[in-house]
């Protein structure tokens, strides 16, 4: 055991710290500072620009909710676009769905992919080698701008917060292109921060999406290392409101997809209940149309 600690720098006045058993990698890519270390309590941890991204201990909570909720809310997703998610965890969960025929993952920082493959192999598992996966090291903004209209069923944006390299993934132009390339029943999901500390992120992102989608809402997940209460995952849909599916509908879809019994956090009941927001979160969403 060492006396070395790594403290998260997301907030000026509040910090969580991890005791470091062993630092595994530290590098500066063209886009961000990257650290991977072995923690005493949460397994291996990925840190980007001083902000905790993923830990082996609780990554399943975030990855399952970010993936299974939109894919099952769609109901017949064949083509999924993932932007970011360089650790491969979202890709892995997307490919667990039997009906998915193609999963394109666009990650701007190839160093995140390579370090995740080397030091966090369990997060992605065999997803990197799945023939349905198309992993692109490139700019997600450029990809959606050039993608064919109506070509994607679900878009999952797993980015850093809207600062630095992740900032351009929270703009009007980006959401306009996402709406264009989604199919008529298409859905987009992206993390919107911890509203107890980052309410502006949820509010502003939701207002932007409301310009292009008839249904804009959010659901929550309790991820231990995303401190400050519930993490919100913002969802916008062109077709059916994803917040209105019954537990029975989601269970039937999950059974057909092969998801039931494979998860550590997500269940049909959690799926449906996650849209029931506490008032302190719900007040930051635009009024329903």
């Amino acid at each position: 055991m060492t006396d070395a600690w790594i403290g998260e720098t997301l907030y000026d006045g509040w910090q969580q710290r991890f005791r470091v058993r062993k630092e595994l990698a530290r590098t500066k890519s063209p886009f961000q500072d990257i650290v991977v270390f072995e923690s005493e309590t949460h397994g291996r941890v990925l840190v980007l620009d001083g902000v905790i991204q993923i830990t082996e201990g609780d990554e399943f909570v975030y990855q399952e909710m970010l993936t299974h909720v939109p894919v099952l809310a769609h109901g017949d997703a064949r083509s999924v676009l993932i932007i970011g998610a360089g650790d491969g965890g979202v890709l892995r969960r997307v490919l667990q769905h039997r009906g998915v025929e193609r999963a394109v993952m666009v990650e701007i920082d190839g160093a995140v992919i390579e370090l995740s493959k080397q030091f966090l192999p369990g997060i992605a598992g065999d997803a990197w080698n799945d023939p349905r996966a198309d992993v692109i090291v490139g700019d997600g903004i450029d990809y959606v701008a050039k993608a064919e209209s109506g070509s994607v069923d679900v878009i999952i944006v797993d980015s850093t917060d809207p600062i630095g390299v992740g900032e351009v993934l929270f703009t009007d132009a980006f959401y306009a292109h996402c709406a264009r390339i989604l199919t008529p029943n298409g859905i987009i999901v992206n993390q919107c921060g911890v509203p107890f500390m980052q309410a502006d992120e949820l509010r502003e992102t939701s207002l932007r999406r409301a310009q292009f989608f008839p249904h804009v809402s959010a659901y929550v997940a309790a991820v231990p290392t995303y401190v400050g209460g519930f993490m919100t995952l913002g969802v916008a849909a062109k077709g059916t409101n994803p917040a209105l599916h019954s537990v029975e509908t989601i269970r039937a879809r999950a059974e057909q997809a092969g998801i039931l019994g494979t998860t550590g956090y997500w269940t049909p009941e959690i799926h449906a209940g996650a849209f029931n927001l506490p008032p302190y979160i719900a007040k930051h969403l635009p009024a329903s149309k």
Side-chain angles (χ1 to χ4, degrees), residues 18-37:
F18 291 82
R19 194 197 303 270
V20 179
R21 278 187 170 170
K22 182 180 181 182
E23 187 172 292
L24 303 171
R26 181 180 291 269
T27 186
K28 185 174 181 61
S29 78
F31 301 97
Q32 56 204 336
D33 292 316
I34 308 170
V35 177
V36 184
F37 68 92

Side-chain angles (χ1 to χ4, degrees), residues 264-281:
Y265 185 91
W266 180 94
T267 66
E269 291 79 10
I270 291 290
H271 178 126
F275 286 93
N276 296 314
L277 302 177
Y280 86 92
I281 297 177

